[in-house]
Amino acid sequence: SLSDLFGTLTRDVEALVVVASPTVLTRKWCLGEIVTANLQNVNTMMVALPDFHFPDAMFVDALENMVVEMDELAAYGLSVADLREALVKLRDRKTMFLPNSFQSSDVATIVDQLCSCSPAEVKLQDSVDG
């Protein structure tokens, strides 16, 4: 259940890895996880897939209209103000931008970066699978 999921984030999670697809921030339960992690100071890292864009001010301002059924998140104690704060802070999170394609050898780099406390932003070089 969602209360179990949000409770687990609160009690048992040291780090949250967000697989940032172009639509992840329009999915209310994904937002709920991001907001809960933000409220609980859970270390959050972003793995940005191609075509992901961090939310701009217009997206954040329009949040109430973009996320259908906000009242469902409110039932778990998550407010619009909490959502806005979490979205604004996303840009400050450690982020790995993945290229359109990468080689299997890049997987080790991805895992190393996710498990380390290295620089705030990592970008793999575009490469072509061969």
Side-chain angles (χ1 to χ4, degrees), residues 24-128:
V24 70
L25 300 178
T26 62
R27 298 174 188 265
K28 63 184 170 193
W29 304 128
C30 295
L31 281 174
E33 290 180 72
I34 292 167
V35 172
T36 301
N38 185 63
L39 290 171
Q40 299 302 319
N41 296 313
V42 172
N43 183 23
T44 301
M45 297 166 272
M46 307 286 291
V47 176
L49 300 178
D51 298 326
F52 171 77
H53 301 283
F54 283 98
D56 58 16
M58 190 163 56
F59 179 93
V60 174
D61 289 341
L63 184 64
E64 288 182 73
N65 297 326
M66 295 179 81
V67 179
V68 180
E69 302 163 358
M70 286 289 295
D71 56 332
E72 288 186 60
L73 289 177
Y76 295 95
L78 305 178
S79 70
V80 172
D82 295 332
L83 289 167
R84 289 175 190 264
E85 177 184 328
L87 289 177
V88 168
K89 287 185 174 181
L90 281 182
R91 288 187 183 273
D92 298 331
R93 305 293 183 194
K94 178 179 177 180
T95 301
M96 177 179 288
F97 294 92
L98 297 183
N100 287 327
S101 64
F102 53 91
Q103 298 176 347
S104 58
S105 60
D106 292 331
V107 173
T109 300
I110 293 167
V111 171
D112 286 345
Q113 292 299 321
L114 287 174
C115 295
S116 72
C117 295
S118 59
E121 186 174 298
V122 177
K123 180 173 173 122
L124 294 177
Q125 297 295 320
D126 282 320
S127 58
V128 178

